[in-house]
Amino acid sequence: MGFDIRRLDIYRKVPKDLTQPTLTGATISICTCMFIFFLLISELSSFLTTDISSHLYVDDPQSGDKVPVLISVELPKMKCEYIGLDIQDSMGRHEVGFVDNTDKVPINDGEGCIFTSSFKVNKVPGNFHVSTHGSREQPLKPDMTHIIKELRIGDRFQAPNMEAAAFNALEGQSTVEKNGLSSHDYVMKIVPTVYETIDGDTKYMYQYTHAYKDYIAYGHGQRVMPAIWFRYELTPITVKYTEERKPFYHFITMVCAIIGGAFTVAGIIDSMIFSASEAYRKFQLGKLS
């Protein structure tokens, strides 16, 4: 007689006429199925959600020695013809009246200006400032009160689940209530930031914090020459954010664990309740030894 492979079946079937359905078992079965459905939906949601991990290291992975900067400032009481951008750093760079990639939009009937410029700075301590230093003629009544519309360093990218304000911390900064002759000084600490998407795309951004003070600065001949200074320094620490998703085998493992665990625990509870009810019934009948 040949070997019967059915002997290897570890899931032996019990004939239906040998089983006994109970109200308690039905209640536990319904509750178990609802509980499993809830856990499966939660696990599926977790599997489809992209997680963001972060770590720090001492390095700047961006190729090249330049950092892109975008600045947009509204000066409601300074004409566009006087405004310019100056750039300085510790490597000896000194540009007065930077004009490349610069846009000036008159406002308030030509009495004010929205100044926008994009440029690159070296990865060394330095400053850039909006001033009238590069103008051939100086205004009779200089007024550098302003509203910063945007100051962004690095790539423009809105990362999900990240605080956007950290990458444009000076947005909305207003000094319109300050003395018109005051100079404004922003000291910024810049943190290189790398964001790697789940598709492998890498973005290089820079978070920054700032401190502010205003003062009156006198030039040659005790003439007041206000300006808006942005002094920056890059930290040697880079923050890297990486989008991650749980592997599929992790999802399958959790599904098996949820279904198997829930049915096992439910079976134990049902057996305990059934055994207790049978014992109580026998006790009532006086058959419990």
Side-chain angles (χ1 to χ4, degrees):
M1 186 174 181
F3 176 75
D4 189 358
I5 196 173
R6 291 179 296 178
R7 295 180 181 180
L8 302 179
D9 185 7
I10 61 176
Y11 303 103
R12 301 296 180 94
K13 309 303 184 293
V14 179
K16 189 174 182 180
D17 56 353
L18 297 180
T19 60
Q20 179 183 349
T22 64
L23 179 61
T24 301
T27 303
I28 293 177
S29 298
I30 294 174
C31 293
T32 300
C33 291
M34 294 175 62
F35 182 66
I36 290 175
F37 178 77
F38 171 75
L39 292 182
L40 289 178
I41 293 298
S42 300
E43 185 60 31
L44 178 61
S45 176
S46 176
F47 171 70
L48 296 177
T49 300
T50 301
D51 297 325
I52 299 178
S53 63
S54 63
H55 66 276
L56 308 176
Y57 56 93
V58 182
D59 187 21
D60 188 351
Q62 186 177 16
S63 59
D65 299 320
K66 301 285 187 177
V67 177
V69 179
L70 172 65
I71 182 173
S72 180
V73 183
E74 178 181 335
L75 299 97
K77 300 178 182 178
M78 180 67 74
K79 293 183 178 181
C80 290
E81 60 189 88
Y82 298 118
I83 300 173
L85 180 71
D86 308 330
I87 306 173
Q88 298 174 304
D89 62 37
S90 60
M91 293 182 64
R93 181 183 183 183
H94 189 182
E95 295 187 42
V96 178
F98 181 84
V99 295
D100 295 339
N101 301 317
T102 297
D103 186 38
K104 302 177 184 180
V105 179
I107 58 174
N108 299 337
D109 296 325
E111 296 300 316
C113 184
I114 296 178
F115 177 85
T116 303
S117 181
S118 60
F119 53 95
K120 292 185 177 182
V121 297
N122 295 314
K123 296 179 182 178
V124 295
N127 73 79
F128 51 90
H129 50 279
V130 179
S131 69
T132 61
H133 299 165
S135 177
R136 294 182 179 180
E137 297 182 2
Q138 294 297 314
L140 297 177
K141 295 181 179 181
D143 189 331
M144 298 300 286
T145 55
H146 60 275
I147 301 171
I148 299 177
K149 302 175 73 66
E150 183 175 9
L151 177 55
R152 191 177 301 275
I153 305 172
D155 295 337
R156 181 191 290 271
F157 179 70
Q158 180 57 57
N161 302 322
M162 291 180 62
E163 184 61 43
F167 299 93
N168 191 15
L170 285 172
E171 180 183 16
Q173 178 79 12
S174 175
T175 65
V176 293
E177 303 298 329
K178 300 288 185 178
N179 188 332
L181 296 177
S182 293
S183 287
H184 308 274
D185 206 340
Y186 298 94
V187 180
M188 303 186 298
K189 294 292 184 180
I190 301 174
V191 181
T193 304
V194 179
Y195 192 94
E196 187 174 306
T197 67
I198 198 168
D199 299 324
D201 189 20
T202 301
K203 299 293 183 180
Y204 298 96
M205 305 176 291
Y206 293 82
Q207 305 179 64
Y208 64 89
T209 60
H210 69 279
Y212 167 80
K213 68 176 180 179
D214 63 294
Y215 56 93
I216 296 180
Y218 294 92
H220 297 291
Q222 296 298 303
R223 183 172 183 175
V224 179
M225 300 182 68
I228 308 172
W229 294 79
F230 300 91
R231 308 180 194 274
Y232 62 88
E233 181 177 358
L234 278 76
T235 66
I237 302 297
T238 296
V239 183
K240 183 176 182 179
Y241 296 98
T242 305
E243 289 185 351
E244 297 177 341
R245 182 171 292 164
K246 295 178 181 178
F248 184 69
Y249 69 82
H250 180 275
F251 173 70
I252 294 299
T253 301
M254 291 304 298
V255 169
C256 294
I258 290 171
I259 296 176
F263 276 120
T264 299
V265 173
I268 294 173
I269 294 175
D270 180 62
S271 297
M272 293 175 60
I273 295 176
F274 181 76
S275 298
S277 62
E278 285 294 302
Y280 180 71
R281 186 174 62 84
K282 291 181 180 180
F283 174 78
Q284 286 184 322
L285 297 175
K287 295 182 179 181
L288 186 63
S289 56

